[in-house]
Amino acid sequence: VIDLQTIHKNYRMGSETIRALNGVDCRIDANEYVAIMGPSGSGKSTLMNIIGCLDRPSAGEYWLDGQNVSKLNDKALARVRNRMIGFVFQTFNLLSKSNALQNVETPLLYGGVGRRERRNRARQALERVGLDDRTFHKPSELSGGQRQRVAVARALVNDPAILLADEPTGNLDSRTGEDIMALFEELYSAGQTIILVTHEPGIAVRAKRHIHLRDGEVTEDYLLENS
Amino acid sequence: VIDLQTIHKNYRMGSETIRALNGVDCRIDANEYVAIMGPSGSGKSTLMNIIGCLDRPSAGEYWLDGQNVSKLNDKALARVRNRMIGFVFQTFNLLSKSNALQNVETPLLYGGVGRRERRNRARQALERVGLDDRTFHKPSELSGGQRQRVAVARALVNDPAILLADEPTGNLDSRTGEDIMALFEELYSAGQTIILVTHEPGIAVRAKRHIHLRDGEVTEDYLLENS
Ligand SMILES: Nc1ncnc2c1ncn2[C@@H]1O[C@H](COP(=O)(O)OP(=O)(O)OP(=O)(O)O)[C@@H](O)[C@H]1O
Ligand SMILES: Nc1ncnc2c1ncn2[C@@H]1O[C@H](COP(=O)(O)OP(=O)(O)OP(=O)(O)O)[C@@H](O)[C@H]1O
Ligand SMILES: [Mg+2]
Ligand SMILES: [Mg+2]
């Protein structure tokens, strides 16, 4: 369902060119559970942004669910993204003027879901991440781990086929992190495709396939033995 | 050097009162290395903000280096903070319009350090966290872990007596996280007081004393055996 062909992403900084992704080939089928790992700055978030249709490659092609994403205009791209993809950002990217409930409702607004159903679905999503007692708090009135969980709830509320999670437990204690991983397990069993970036081996071990990045290139890509 | 006496921090949300800190007593001597741990939402960042003079308690007293901090006005508080404390925030709090070098220089500006010395010291701090090739990047042009390291560099540049680090390795792969922990070890050996919040046992084990929080209260406070 995800087919990346020789993907490059370059940034021009004055006279220098930074090759954030330097020729990445990668195919991920539906209902796979993949962990992307690698050193700080190796291109993980950049790769996630391209998979998540939030950014376009400098070169190469990206086929998502049989469509050549690079050929879509911004409006069509946004529609595909809203329909298929849930994204947990490394830096959360919550709306600071909206409370937790409103933040989680956002993807449903875009999908044209009615007000009452939006409210219910957002409430349920917050409940699933243990935040039903924080629905009316704004991000500045939440702890770091609570903001992270609002970001997770928002990514799930639209029941996306593909969940992309960039360091989803980075700010969570082990028990709360476990709850989130258990939630991902449920989604995976229900048929979702899960791609997560993590630097924690204890988290990565839950995935079925590992992809390692270094300096914008894939250095390893393997299935886990006993999974 | 840090003496917290029956510290309370409350937030009023409509008719409800959230007790982020519910009677915390805690004394930390100079040149201690403390790890604060606890579930998401237990009050760790709130406690750090009070220790770091960024927030005032709702009740209780805080004596820092022999001064009753609660009695200082904002200007005097800012002076004490700038002189004694380096803070790595859980959400980095970098200036988005400034590049890495300018961000790291910020505490030195406040301390009235001359331009050339500021530049050199900021450059050195960035070098110590492995970012000498990213000095002119703005936060939006940096990876999550690179932003985290800029936040660490900024906290160190003023040679503060007390380093407060809230989840300083949350966005770092293990090798880069190791480099940061080795840096903290150096500072500790040089006499600094280090207080870090972490949820990773592999990081916490480097500290000499552990304090556990739950629901705004200290539930455990012990020295590590073989340290
Ligand atoms: N401005 C605020 N208004 C209302 N409640 C707040 C505010 N700031 C924090 N809280 C609440 O206070 C509690 C403690 O927050 P704090 O940020 O200290 O937790 P934490 O231990 O750092 O959590 P985490 O590990 O998730 O970062 C949380 O339950 C949070 O929702
Ligand atoms: N807008 C930009 N302009 C210039 N360079 C950039 C930009 N965005 C990212 N980079 C660079 O591209 C490289 C890859 O960034 P990316 O965010 O993908 O890394 P990452 O693997 O997610 O790292 P981390 O684990 O620290 O989050 C980094 O070296 C970064 O400095
Ligand atoms: Mg990243
Ligand atoms: Mg916190």
Side-chain angles (χ1 to χ4, degrees), chain A residues 6-12 17-24 42-43 45-50 54-60 215-216:
Chain A
T6 325
I7 295 292
H8 287 263
K9 181 70 185 180
N10 302 324
Y11 294 106
R12 301 289 304 281
T17 297
I18 292 182
R19 305 193 182 288
L21 293 177
N22 195 20
V24 169
S42 55
S45 297
T46 305
L47 182 60
M48 294 286 269
N49 289 339
I50 286 175
L54 290 159
D55 199 9
R56 294 178 187 276
S58 310
D215 298 324

Side-chain angles (χ1 to χ4, degrees), chain A residues 2 55 59 105 109 112 114 118-119 138 189 193 197 205 207 224:
Chain A
I2 287 170
D55 199 9
E105 285 182 317
L109 277 170
R118 268 201 336 259
R119 210 97 300 213
K138 296 200 183 65
S189 315
T193 305
V197 169
V205 76
L224 269 67

Side-chain angles (χ1 to χ4, degrees), chain A residues 13 16 18 38-42 44-45 90-92 133-134 136-138 141 143-147 149 166-167 169-176 199-201 214, chain B residues 13 16 18 38-42 44-45 90-92 133-134 136-138 141 143-147 149 166-167 169-176 199-201 214:
Chain A
M13 297 286 295
E16 213 192 324
I18 292 182
S40 175
S42 55
K44 305 181 294 296
S45 297
Q90 187 169 11
T91 47
F92 318 157
D133 62 348
R134 288 282 181 277
F136 300 113
H137 287 232
K138 296 200 183 65
E141 299 165 334
S143 76
Q146 290 167 345
R147 288 177 213 174
R149 285 183 276 159
D166 198 342
E167 302 278 0
T169 60
N171 281 289
L172 301 176
D173 57 285
S174 42
R175 171 146 328 139
T176 317
H199 69 267
E200 292 186 54
R214 177 176 284 280
Chain B
M13 297 287 293
E16 212 195 325
I18 292 182
S40 176
S42 55
K44 306 180 296 295
S45 297
Q90 189 170 9
T91 47
F92 318 155
D133 61 349
R134 290 283 182 275
F136 300 112
H137 287 232
K138 296 198 183 66
E141 297 166 334
S143 76
Q146 290 166 346
R147 288 177 212 174
R149 286 183 276 159
D166 198 343
E167 302 278 0
T169 60
N171 283 287
L172 301 175
D173 57 286
S174 42
R175 169 141 334 134
T176 316
H199 69 267
E200 293 187 53
R214 176 176 287 280

